Amino acid sequence: LHAVIVFQRLIRGFLTRSFVKRRESARIRLQKVLRGTVLRRRTARIDAASARIAADWHGYRTRRWMKKRHSAAILIQSNYRRWLDRRRVSKRQRAAARIRAAWLGHRVRRRVQSEFSIALVQAHIRGALTRRRIAQWAPAAAAIQRVWRARQRRRRFRTRVAIAVVLQKHARRHKVTRQLSTLHVKAIGCQRI
C-alpha cells in the first residue's frame, strides 16, 4: 500500500510539474507576442508622429508662403484644414476609445485567466496536502482499530468465561442434586430393609 501511495505521489508530482511547465511556456509565448505587438504599435505611433510633424512643418511653410501671395486662399485653406483636423481628431478619439476598450478587455481576461490558473494550482496543492494528511492518518486509524478489536476480544472472552462458569456451577449443582437424590433414595431403601 505504501508503494502505491508513493507511486501515485510521484505520478501526480510529474503531471503537476509538466502542467506548470506547459502553462509557463504558453505564458512566455503570449508575452512575446504581446511585447512584439506593443513595440510595433509604439513604432507606428512614432512614425506617424514624425510624419505628422513633417507634414505640419511643411504646411506651415506653405501657409507662410501662400500668405504672402494669396491671403484669401489662406483663409479658405485654414478653414478647410480646421475641418479636416476636427474630423481626424474625432476619428482618432474613436480609435483610441476602441483601443482602450480592447486593452481593458484584454487585461480583464488575462486577470481572470491568471486567477483561474492560481485557483487551479491551489486546488492541486490542497489536494496533495490532504492526501498526504490522510496517508498519515492510516497508521493511527489502524492502531486505534487494533486496540479496539483487542478490547472487544477480551470483553467477549470474559463474557464467555462468565457464562461457562455459571453453566459449570449449574451443571455441578444438578449433578450433586441427582447424586443426593440417588443417595437419598438408596438411604430410604436401606432404612426399609
Side-chain angles (χ1 to χ4, degrees):
L1 179 64
H2 180 69
V4 170
I5 292 171
V6 169
F7 180 71
Q8 287 176 347
R9 185 174 51 209
L10 290 174
I11 292 298
R12 287 187 188 112
F14 169 74
L15 291 175
T16 302
R17 283 189 299 278
S18 63
F19 176 76
V20 169
K21 193 181 292 182
R22 282 195 310 268
R23 176 155 288 155
E24 183 67 22
S25 66
R27 182 183 63 79
I28 289 171
R29 280 197 305 269
L30 182 63
Q31 286 176 346
K32 282 181 185 177
V33 169
L34 185 61
R35 286 184 187 125
T37 303
V38 168
L39 185 61
R40 283 191 293 279
R41 284 181 183 168
R42 189 178 298 150
T43 305
R45 280 197 303 261
I46 290 171
D47 290 345
S50 65
R52 199 172 343 135
I53 290 169
D56 288 344
W57 174 248
H58 182 67
Y60 172 73
R61 280 182 33 206
T62 304
R63 283 191 301 275
R64 203 169 79 191
W65 181 76
M66 292 295 287
K67 189 173 183 180
K68 291 177 186 175
R69 305 271 192 249
H70 308 284
S71 60
I74 290 174
L75 185 61
I76 292 170
Q77 287 177 357
S78 65
N79 287 335
Y80 180 70
R81 285 189 184 107
R82 204 174 299 127
W83 176 78
L84 281 178
D85 284 342
R86 273 192 240 114
R87 195 172 81 177
R88 191 180 311 135
V89 166
S90 69
K91 278 184 183 179
R92 286 184 184 155
Q93 285 175 344
R94 285 194 303 269
R98 280 196 302 265
I99 290 170
R100 193 178 312 116
W103 173 249
L104 290 175
H106 170 72
R107 277 182 34 200
V108 167
R109 284 188 299 276
R110 190 173 64 192
R111 186 178 305 131
V112 166
Q113 184 180 15
S114 68
E115 288 173 2
F116 176 74
S117 300
I118 290 169
L120 194 61
V121 169
Q122 286 174 345
H124 282 293
I125 290 172
R126 282 192 202 108
L129 291 175
T130 302
R131 285 187 291 278
R132 187 180 300 161
R133 209 173 303 129
I134 287 173
Q136 291 171 351
W137 290 347
I144 291 170
Q145 289 173 350
R146 193 170 43 250
V147 169
W148 176 255
R149 287 183 186 128
R151 182 176 180 273
Q152 290 294 94
R153 280 195 300 270
R154 285 193 302 273
R155 201 168 168 196
R156 280 195 301 269
F157 178 73
R158 277 191 233 118
T159 304
R160 287 179 185 158
V161 166
I163 290 172
V165 166
V166 169
L167 287 175
Q168 287 173 355
K169 185 172 86 174
H170 283 293
R172 286 185 191 127
R173 184 182 298 156
H174 179 67
K175 184 178 177 184
V176 168
T177 306
R178 276 181 49 199
Q179 286 175 352
L180 281 177
S181 68
T182 305
L183 286 175
H184 186 65
V185 168
K186 284 182 184 178
I188 291 177
C190 284
Q191 286 176 359
R192 287 184 188 169
I193 298 180

